[in-house]
Structures are given as C-alpha cells and as structure tokens.
Amino acid sequence: MAEMRAERKSIFEYLSKNKFLIPMYQRNYVWSEDECEQLWEDVYNFFDNKEEDEEYFLGSVVIYKEDGKQNIIDGQQRTTTLCLFIRALYEKAKGQKGIDKLKDDLASCLWDKDSLTGDIDFDKVHFKSEVATDLDIQRLENIFKDRLNIDKESKELSLYEKNFIFFQNKIDELAKDKPDEWKKFCLCLLHNCVILPIECDGRDKALRIFNTLNNRGVPLSPADIFKGLIFDNKKNDEDKKKFAKEWKDLESQIQNSNYLKKEDVSFLFTQYEHIIRAKYGEVDTVIPGVLEFWTEKGKENAKKKRVNFAANDDLLIKKETFEFVKQLGEFWCNPYNYLNPQAKKYFAILNTYQNRLWQMVVSVCFYKYNKDENKGIFDEILPQLVAYNALGLIYEKGGSSGLFWGLMKANVNIIKENKIKNIFESSINLPDLKMPSLENFIDFSKKARPQQIRYILSLYAILYNQNQVMQWNKDNKNYSLVKAEIEHIFPRNWQNTNYNGWDEKEAQEYLEQIGNKMFLEKKLNIQAGNGYFNRKKEIYQSSYFIEAQDLAKSEQKDWLKGDIEKRNKQIYDAFSKFFTSVF
C-alpha cells in the first residue's frame, strides 16, 4: 500500500463499509451539545437549501487499518457523533412502515447484519472505543443495544448519552413539524454528506500526517497533550500499550471518585508542578501554566528566570514522573482514606473554602511523607492550613492572590526545611499571624459573604466542642456539618418585637454579627424560621450541633443585644486561642 490514500466517501459508505476503533492512546470523547448543535445546524441548513446532487463536506479523518478495524487517529469526535446521530435516526425510523430501505441503510452504518437473513446483530457494533473509561464504555454499548435503557433524568449522564438524547430531541421536533421531510433529511445525511478518509499505511505514518494537518476541532487539553507526549516517548509497543492502559485506568479512577469527578489528569500535573517548584525553593506568585511548565524548555519569565523546571529537566517523559502522578491520583481520589479522624474534620472544613489553593500544601505534604504512610502528619499540617485560610478571610485577604505567597512558602518549608510545625510565615498580606482586634473581627463578620461565614462557622463548631460530629443520619436522611444552614438566632424578620431596651435600628446593626449566627440542620432551620428565641429553643433541642443543644438548655426567653455581644467574644476568644496554638 502507498503511504496514504484519500478518497471521498458518503457518510453511508464511510460508516457501513468500515469498523472503527478509537485506540487507547487517543484523547477522550469531548464533544458537548454545542458541537452537536453546530453539526445539526450545518447538515439541516444544507438539506433545506441544497440543489439536486449537491454535496456537503464534513471534513477529513486520518485512519489506519489494523486487525480488520480502522483505527482513528484524527476525526474520532465527528465519527463518534455521527454514529450517535444515526443511532437516533434509526430509533425514530425502526417503528415506521414503508421505509425499509432507509432503515436498512441506517442499520448498516452501525451494526453487522446476517448475510442470509439480513437480521441485525446488535452485539456487533461498527464502533468501539478503547480510550473511554469502563463506565463510559458500558454507557456507550447500551446506546447501541436493540432496546434503549437511558435514564434521561439522571444527573450522571455521559457525554455519549447527552448527545444521543440531543439528537433524539431534534429528530422528534423535525418529525413532528415536517413528518415527510425528516425521512428525506435522513437520506441527505447518508448520501449527500461526504467525508474524506485519509487511510495510512500504519500508525506512525498516520500520526505524522495528523501532525501536519490543521483540522478544526475541540482544542486538546493539557492532559491530552501530556498523554500524547509520554506515549510517543515509550520505546516499544508493549510499553506504549501498558502506559495507555494505566492512563485510562487513572481517568476511570478520577471519574469514579466522589472527590475528583469534575477534574481530569491535568489536576494531578498541576499539583505536581507546585511540588517541583517547592523543591527548587520557588515562591514567585507569577507561575507558568501547567502545560507551559511541563513542555516549554528554556522559556524565561518576566524576571528573566527559567522557571519551567519540569520542561527543562525533561521530567514529563521520565518513568518516575507518571509513577508519582498515579500515586497522587490514588490520594486525591480517596483523600479521606489517608487521614485520621481529627484530620478528616479539618479536611472537610477546607473543602468549604472559597478557593482550592490550599490543595497544593496537601499535595506537598503527601509527596514528602507518603513513603512513610504517616497519617499523623496531616494531624499537624491541616489545622495550620485551616487556620491560615481563616486568618486570610478575617483580614480580608482570602482571595486567590492574598494567601498565595504564604502557601507556596509553606510548601518550601515542608520540602526543603523539613518543617511540620510553624510552616506558615508572616507576609505582606498577613504581617501578623494572630487575631486582629475584636472590633475588626465583628466588622468582618457583618460584611462577609455567606460562603465565608460558613467556613468560619464550620471551624467554630469543632472549636466549640471537639466531640462535634461531622456526619450523621436522622429520620433516614444524611446530614453533614459543612452543609448545614446558617441560623440567625435573633430572626432577620420579626414583627412587633419587644427589644427590651434596644431599638430596631440597633437590632439591624447586630443581626449580621457572628455572635448572632450558628449552624443548624436545614430542616430545623426551616422550622425555626423567624420565630423568637423561646420558641426556637424547642427546635434546637433535636439538633446534632452541640452548641445548639446547649442553647436549648438556656433558661432565658429572649436573645438580645447583650447575648450577641457575649457570643461575639466567645467566638473571638476561641479563634484567638486556636491561632496561638497553631502559629
């Protein structure tokens, strides 16, 4: 065979005459409804305006044949989506009479058929993906079964399912509005829309040609690029295959993780970037992007420093790099497995913070001490992290840049200075690692956003009583401290109130102070509503929050100005003591 050959094919010829494989080393399926919408609009507008025998070009694909299957190097997004598109068309057509030839053509694009009877073999699909995670493979296979079984209301639908449902809805609309035209639309897609398969003599040639083409499509993510670069640097097919499987397993692990399911492998390389920077003692807050850091050698930043340490040292293609990335994936997919009970409380609180910069310190800690499997190390590190974030909020420096230098300096202290205690240092943004004045703390609490108050109240709940439980079940419902509601002890809306010596204006001044806020389960918070304190105490009795239980035991009937001031001071003292203990 020549190095490559290209021959224009109709969609029917392209799909019905081939069986396709998305090989392990390819990227995942990433097309969303936006790309499907564009494909639908392109095809429909062509159909609605085409002249006889006119054709519409849907682009090129790069393939090579191996073991009877066309391995797709470029074009898997379009090929996969076309198969979902045609599966939706077949589902609409299969119950209708008088269109046997159309049904036969649609089926021929997707499945093998018995050479004698013409019956469809739904177990022999023309399309298979090795790169999809195990869960997505199962969902993809279900779409091509004879009987569909998709829970359209599920919040966990794969992209395959979402896009298939999108095409179903579009086809239903077209068939309802134009019952005759939708059949002609099917024929137009199959026979008037064309694609240019570029078939190559082997994988390496296909990859070379792919790299010279400038095809329009969804840009590669950093994870896609890392995967490709590592794959290309494996010495033989056995190593390549082993790596591709390990990468796929890691993606499946992330997808199935309750903690990381919204991330991809790029997250792990970002965490590793912070670790490497700490090893070099680097605390510059202007950091390179993760792709740049790992792939662009010799590039200088604005300060004329070559800070892309991973790229400069060729770390991406070194065996130990991916080995650690897998270990880091194990940790972040199941972080609570690595923590003692007390550390779990602080970790849960950290996850309510307004950003996730703190994760870099956790990753550095794991890197430094994971070989010892020392769970106790997090008992020392996490309280300091929680306190540092809280102090940042109180000083109104809790944004992405306010604490950045301090977090990176903590990384350096852990890795290079072998520190476990006192990992944080004073900085421009936080010149003193101690509680500000009571007046400043109260002022912060009045202006703080609900998310910030939730963080403070989460921490205070365990400072108030170390025996405070983090999760519980009541009346067959699961509750969590960090997902509780903010309860205003003195209600925000109270009519005809007797203020007992303080007026309504003062009440508004005190309403949003931290001393008037505490955590309560959502159901109880709704029951308490805008009731007055004496009635609320009955509701507080059944709370799992220890402070609410203690308030329920109070003999007083009113919750007034003096009570809020007293509780302001109690919370202030608890935080002051906590900061002193960790800093």
Side-chain angles (χ1 to χ4, degrees), residues 375-410:
K375 286 187 176 182
I377 197 68
F378 291 108
D379 295 342
E380 295 283 352
I381 299 294
L382 294 186
Q384 296 177 69
L385 254 180
V386 168
Y388 192 71
N389 281 351
L391 205 55
L393 287 180
I394 294 167
Y395 276 98
E396 300 183 52
K397 300 293 184 181
S400 60
S401 61
L403 303 182
F404 204 1
W405 183 91
L407 293 167
M408 290 189 297
K409 183 60 177 176

Side-chain angles (χ1 to χ4, degrees), residues 249-272:
D249 290 343
L250 182 57
E251 288 180 325
S252 293
Q253 192 177 14
I254 292 172
Q255 184 184 48
N256 293 323
S257 166
N258 289 326
Y259 190 80
L260 273 194
K261 64 171 57 178
K262 293 183 179 179
E263 302 285 356
D264 66 14
V265 181
S266 302
F267 167 83
L268 302 176
F269 280 92
T270 299
Q271 296 302 306
Y272 203 0

Side-chain angles (χ1 to χ4, degrees), residues 5-166:
R5 64 180 182 186
E7 183 181 354
R8 184 187 62 193
K9 303 281 187 183
S10 69
I11 296 303
F12 173 73
E13 290 176 302
Y14 173 62
L15 295 178
S16 66
K17 305 296 184 185
N18 292 298
K19 294 181 182 178
F20 299 97
L21 177 70
I22 309 299
M24 281 186 179
Y25 51 84
Q26 273 285 28
R27 67 184 303 192
N28 286 330
Y29 181 61
V30 296
W31 269 23
S32 66
E33 188 173 302
D34 289 340
E35 287 80 26
C36 293
E37 177 84 48
Q38 186 64 59
L39 177 62
W40 173 273
E41 292 297 330
D42 288 347
V43 175
Y44 184 76
N45 288 336
F46 165 68
F47 163 73
D48 204 32
N49 298 286
K50 78 176 183 71
E51 298 178 1
E52 189 175 357
D53 295 330
E54 188 179 0
E55 293 180 335
Y56 183 72
F57 180 57
L58 287 175
S60 62
V61 296
V62 179
I63 55 180
Y64 72 93
K65 200 163 190 174
E66 185 176 81
D67 297 330
K69 292 184 174 64
Q70 294 288 8
N71 287 245
I72 303 178
I73 297 297
D74 179 44
Q76 70 137 316
Q77 306 296 328
R78 267 165 299 162
T79 302
T80 304
T81 305
L82 283 168
C83 289
L84 296 172
F85 194 167
I86 291 173
R87 177 65 181 94
L89 289 169
Y90 177 79
E91 188 65 19
K92 186 68 177 178
K94 72 176 186 179
Q96 301 192 22
K97 297 180 179 179
I99 54 171
D100 290 348
K101 180 63 169 67
L102 174 59
K103 287 189 283 188
D104 188 70
D105 284 354
L106 291 169
S108 296
C109 291
L110 305 175
W111 301 283
D112 281 359
K113 298 171 68 178
D114 188 282
S115 57
L116 294 177
T117 65
D119 293 339
I120 300 170
D121 189 339
F122 290 98
D123 292 327
K124 293 184 178 179
V125 185
H126 286 188
F127 177 85
K128 181 180 179 182
S129 174
E130 289 182 340
V131 74
T133 62
D134 292 340
L135 181 58
D136 278 350
I137 286 175
Q138 181 181 346
R139 292 168 170 174
L140 181 61
E141 289 176 349
N142 285 339
I143 292 173
F144 291 95
K145 296 291 186 185
D146 183 17
R147 295 178 180 274
L148 288 172
N149 183 22
I150 300 176
D151 179 6
K152 294 185 178 181
E153 302 302 318
S154 172
K155 295 180 180 179
E156 302 293 331
L157 290 173
S158 66
L159 284 175
Y160 299 114
E161 292 166 317
K162 289 178 182 178
N163 293 345
F164 172 73
I165 292 168
F166 166 82

Side-chain angles (χ1 to χ4, degrees), residues 510-525:
Y510 278 77
L511 182 65
E512 295 302 331
Q513 293 184 16
I514 193 71
N516 192 47
K517 297 174 182 177
M518 72 172 185
F519 267 170
L520 203 61
E521 296 90 330
K522 182 175 182 178
K523 183 178 180 180
L524 297 183
N525 186 238

Side-chain angles (χ1 to χ4, degrees), residues 228-251:
L229 291 173
I230 298 171
F231 181 87
D232 286 345
N233 277 277
K234 294 299 178 182
K235 294 181 179 179
N236 54 59
D237 283 349
E238 184 177 341
D239 288 344
K240 290 177 186 290
K241 187 173 182 180
K242 181 175 181 288
F243 164 73
K245 184 180 185 307
E246 289 176 344
W247 186 281
K248 177 182 172 181
D249 290 343
L250 182 57
E251 288 180 325

Side-chain angles (χ1 to χ4, degrees), residues 402-490:
L403 303 182
F404 204 1
W405 183 91
L407 293 167
M408 290 189 297
K409 183 60 177 176
N411 291 343
V412 174
N413 284 337
I414 293 170
I415 283 188
K416 293 183 72 69
E417 305 299 327
N418 297 313
K419 283 189 175 183
I420 296 176
K421 298 180 181 295
N422 302 318
I423 64 171
F424 289 102
E425 301 178 10
S426 58
S427 64
I428 294 175
N429 286 321
L430 290 179
D432 294 306
L433 298 182
K434 60 184 181 181
M435 197 69 168
S437 68
L438 175 60
E439 291 74 19
N440 286 343
F441 179 56
I442 293 171
D443 186 58
F444 151 75
S445 72
K446 291 190 294 185
K447 298 185 298 184
R449 301 192 305 273
Q451 184 183 12
Q452 296 171 328
I453 290 297
R454 290 179 66 82
Y455 185 83
I456 297 298
L457 290 178
S458 295
L459 177 54
Y460 180 64
I462 65 170
L463 296 180
Y464 180 84
N465 192 313
Q466 288 292 319
N467 294 320
Q468 173 65 55
V469 295
M470 299 296 290
Q471 294 179 316
W472 60 93
N473 184 280
K474 183 180 179 182
D475 300 328
N476 295 318
K477 288 194 69 174
N478 293 321
Y479 293 89
S480 168
L481 179 148
V482 296
K483 293 184 179 179
E485 298 280 314
I486 298 174
E487 156 75 351
H488 287 72
I489 306 172
F490 185 88

